Amino acid sequence: MSQTKNNIALGVASAALALALYSHFSTEPSNQLLLAEKPQSQQQHVHSQVDSAHLEMHDNESYEDMDNSALIARIEYLEERLLDIENQAFGTGASNDAMEETILAVLEEKERKERQKRSEDNPVYGFYEDLPKDYDLKLKTDPEYASQVSQDLRGKVLDQTLTPQERLSAMGQLQMNMYILNRTQGEMFDYETVDAVLEISRNSADDKLKVQALEVVAHSPVVDSRIAKSLQDIIEKEPNKYMKTMAAEGLMGQYYQAGESDPEVKQQLANDILAMYDNASSSEIQAVMQRLIRDDELLQQIRRDAGR
């Protein structure tokens, strides 16, 4: 009697497991959805295994006629079948690896597009994210590397076959290199490169590029009377008030940097600045210069440098 009860209990457990196996893949919507996403041949293979396991519930041998060891073996077999079918239905380790690779590829593409957008939004400094980690140190410790990088960048600034964004980015990096190396100008960073950027500001149809190119020039450490003249033309002719003010800041920067190294250029700059400061014919230009020269002491210094 006890043997019969054990057989019945194990039989019920075996039947329940087989029934769970069948119903899990036959009725649960989420499982059907996952199977539906698989190729048709794989779906048929999975369903055939489920149906096979289900039919094993109704084979010729009655659970009551099986001993304990046979029923336990049956349960273990059904458990193995369930695990095997789940692996095929929901993915193996290989498919999980493939999914991980796909996710990483999507994330990398997303990051690439974000970098591209940041570069397009601010082309002057778009090069930052592509620099090697030891870039600063290498510039300082390897003169040949610094010279070659600067030469390549200068070539890009002057290369009119490149896009304005690429040329402007090269100028931004070249200017940064000069600051890192504590140089104000040199054979790679001179009037020609600054004038090339001014041309972008003058001729670009993109207002954003016009502004950013002028900002680079306005903060340039290169002092040259031709740059000062170009900035003065912008102050006098540019309708955009921000660009007019930025050019005026650049002109004042030329004056400050001239120092004692070039007294003739400094005197000419001082006279040009005073002419605009006292310009009664254009209140807008006058207002721009007066906003920059608020200090009476500075004004007196400019007058002395102008020889007045």
Side-chain angles (χ1 to χ4, degrees):
M1 185 65 174
S2 176
Q3 178 67 28
T4 301
K5 287 183 179 180
N6 288 339
N7 287 348
I8 292 174
L10 289 171
V12 170
S14 179
L17 180 59
L19 183 60
L21 171 65
Y22 183 79
S23 62
H24 184 67
F25 291 99
S26 300
T27 63
E28 188 173 331
S30 60
N31 294 336
Q32 293 293 341
L33 178 60
L34 286 171
L35 287 174
E37 294 175 348
K38 288 185 171 289
Q40 185 64 30
S41 60
Q42 293 185 30
Q43 292 184 42
Q44 293 174 351
H45 179 66
V46 171
H47 280 299
S48 66
Q49 294 195 48
V50 174
D51 291 339
S52 174
H54 180 236
L55 289 173
E56 289 173 6
M57 296 168 54
H58 307 291
D59 58 12
N60 295 329
E61 188 174 11
S62 168
Y63 290 122
E64 291 185 359
D65 296 333
M66 298 172 65
D67 58 21
N68 287 354
S69 60
L71 283 170
I72 290 173
R74 173 61 61 87
I75 291 173
E76 290 176 348
Y77 170 72
L78 289 174
E79 287 175 341
E80 291 175 359
R81 292 292 302 276
L82 176 59
L83 180 61
D84 181 60
I85 295 173
E86 283 181 340
N87 285 337
Q88 293 186 51
F90 301 117
T92 62
S95 64
N96 288 337
D97 291 341
M99 180 177 292
E100 182 178 353
E101 290 178 3
T102 301
I103 292 172
L104 290 175
V106 169
L107 292 175
E108 288 176 1
E109 177 63 14
K110 181 176 181 292
E111 184 178 352
R112 184 192 68 79
K113 289 182 177 180
E114 289 176 350
R115 285 199 308 268
Q116 182 179 357
K117 185 177 186 306
R118 286 195 295 269
S119 179
E120 291 172 352
D121 290 342
N122 192 358
V124 179
Y125 303 108
F127 60 86
Y128 272 133
E129 297 185 48
D130 297 324
L131 293 179
K133 293 182 179 179
D134 62 343
Y135 183 75
D136 289 20
L137 186 59
K138 198 167 184 180
L139 283 179
K140 296 173 182 176
T141 58
D142 190 340
E144 291 185 5
Y145 174 78
S147 177
Q148 185 61 55
V149 169
S150 296
Q151 184 176 346
D152 292 344
L153 291 171
R154 185 177 190 274
K156 290 181 179 180
V157 174
L158 301 178
D159 188 352
Q160 296 188 6
T161 65
L162 298 178
T163 65
Q165 289 88 344
E166 290 172 321
R167 296 173 65 196
L168 200 54
S169 177
M171 183 60 170
Q173 185 174 349
L174 181 59
Q175 189 162 319
M176 184 191 74
N177 287 2
M178 295 300 102
Y179 283 116
I180 291 174
L181 297 173
N182 198 25
R183 300 175 187 169
T184 56
Q185 52 188 308
E187 59 180 8
M188 303 303 173
F189 192 58
D190 53 11
Y191 166 74
E192 193 174 3
T193 54
V194 175
D195 188 59
V197 176
L198 268 172
E199 282 297 317
I200 294 175
S201 182
R202 281 192 287 259
N203 300 325
S204 177
D206 186 333
D207 289 339
K208 182 170 24 178
L209 280 179
K210 287 170 67 74
V211 169
Q212 291 184 319
L214 181 57
E215 287 175 338
V216 169
V217 174
H219 296 102
S220 169
V222 177
V223 178
D224 192 289
S225 59
R226 294 166 292 182
I227 297 174
K229 181 62 172 67
S230 295
L231 293 170
Q232 189 173 344
D233 287 343
I234 294 173
I235 297 169
E236 294 172 348
K237 300 172 183 178
E238 174 59 50
N240 183 294
K241 291 184 179 180
Y242 176 79
M243 293 185 66
K244 190 185 294 289
T245 301
M246 184 57 58
E249 290 182 6
L251 187 63
M252 291 297 296
Q254 290 280 305
Y255 164 75
Y256 291 134
Q257 293 176 91
E260 302 300 327
S261 62
D262 198 336
E264 290 185 7
V265 171
K266 187 171 186 178
Q267 183 177 15
Q268 183 59 53
L269 287 169
N271 275 289
D272 291 340
I273 291 169
L274 286 175
M276 288 184 287
Y277 182 88
D278 297 327
N279 191 344
S281 62
S282 174
S283 59
E284 187 174 5
I285 294 176
Q286 189 179 46
V288 168
M289 298 309 299
Q290 289 179 354
R291 279 198 299 270
L292 294 177
I293 308 174
R294 296 181 179 180
D295 189 338
D296 288 339
E297 185 177 344
L298 173 59
L299 179 58
Q300 293 305 316
Q301 181 62 53
I302 294 174
R303 292 193 188 279
R304 286 193 295 271
D305 290 335
R308 299 187 186 183

